[in-house]
Amino acid sequence: MPKLKITGGNTLSGEIKISGAKNSAVALLPAALLSESKSKIYKVPKIRDIEYLLKILEVLNCTYKITNDEIEINTTKLKNAPIPEELSEQMRASYYFMGTLLSRFKKVEISFPGGCNIGARPIDLHIKGFEALGAKVEIIKNKYIITAERLIGTKITLDFPSVGATINLMLAATGAEGRTIIENAAREPEIVNVANFLISMGCQITGAGEDTIIINQSEKKDDGKIEVYPDRIEAATYVILGALIGKDLTIKGLIKDHINAVLLKLKESGVEFLETENSITISACSNPLPINITTEVFPGFPTDVQQPFTVLLTQACGESIITETIYESRFISAGLLNEMGANTFSKGNILTIKGKTPLHSANLYVPDLRGGAALLLAALTAEGTSILDNVLLILRGYEDVVEKLTNIGAKIEIIE
Ligand code: EPZ
């Protein structure tokens, strides 16, 4: 298993270019199946989840051509088939094939999806939505078998604005007769990204990005075309790195509006930076202020950024409180930061961080993707050389992370 060897203490300067968003791209590839001929997706990040999704497309008899960060997917010979467990269990996003295959074939057979261990992460809202559209959902061993004679548009009110359920039901509704209304929909940018892709194929969708989305029946689905949004979580992660150990570090190719909540919390903590619509230039803040953060659905403070932000708060003099409202167990990495000298403790969904605590190196096992990003930021900040194990989890969500960090002066390498 590859490991990361990181020697901290360097000041990081120069430019980091943000890649296409993992959480958009992993929905866009399954969505491409809705086109009856071919689709082009630009700015696809080269990360492991994409490799697995391409393997699933091959199982479904699709062909694809990769040119740099552009993927052209041909679905003219698309054939329904069970999604194998060894692929679907690799990531949570494999569940988007439920919505697309239900829309195209009214039948799906897929094993339970995978995903980071940050909570129970049920998919009851997806299932309830499919059933509302007229589908029958059976669970046989660890497989979902979902079938429908017809999909009939209806009003679906989500108990919680789930990102995955919103996208999955939007995908399924493109194959429904009549009009489907999704109320209490999630508003994350990746929903707008997927909706725009479907609209480019001729689907009739309004309201994506708001809390009510309307999908009207549309006949033929033409060629689709979309550019993956920049990854807002990658961008926020590197902006926080700049606040820790940057010197005029520019993070470019981002969409500032997608990380406003994070930028506001950085300002509240006394961190200064230059901002344009698509870039942030930032230097280390020697004395960040302790602050309180509550994670929310978009446009609130994103749960995926609370773990990296925790590292900055270990350098604030005083007590900070993070309240995690989206997942029930997303503080494992905060506990691991204590092995590097931090002083954090959690009770239920409340994390308390007492700083300022100088960080020192440690050898740690990455518990999940964003927790791994947090440990990476801490190791880059700490004195000494750290070894992080189980780093394939980090490589899943941060394209070219070693190259990008090396280019700005970090001492980091992958070792076996
Ligand atoms: C997406 O997960 C992201 N993953 C997550 O990012 C992100 O943390 C999350 O949205 C929230 O922004 C992808 O896009 C691949 P949810 P998703 O459905 O769709 C509960 C990362 O690090 N829930 O909004 O699974 C669920 O258990 C990953 O990139 C139900 O109870 O998120 C969770 O507690 C981690 N029933 C909460 O809602 C359901 O049917 C949010 O889930 C669905 C969700």
Side-chain angles (χ1 to χ4, degrees), residues 84 203 216 308 371:
C203 295
N216 285 311

Side-chain angles (χ1 to χ4, degrees), residues 19 46-47 238 395 398-405:
S19 304
K46 290 180 189 59
I47 52 178
Y238 288 134
L395 304 181
Y398 292 89
E399 182 184 50
D400 297 336
V401 58
V402 173
E403 295 80 353
K404 289 186 179 184
L405 290 173

Side-chain angles (χ1 to χ4, degrees), residues 22-23 92 95 122-125 162-164 304 326-327 370:
K22 166 181 85 80
N23 292 347
R92 184 163 167 84
Y95 59 28
I123 62 166
D124 54 312
L125 302 180
S162 150
V163 173
D304 294 350
I326 308 294
Y327 290 102
R370 305 303 173 184

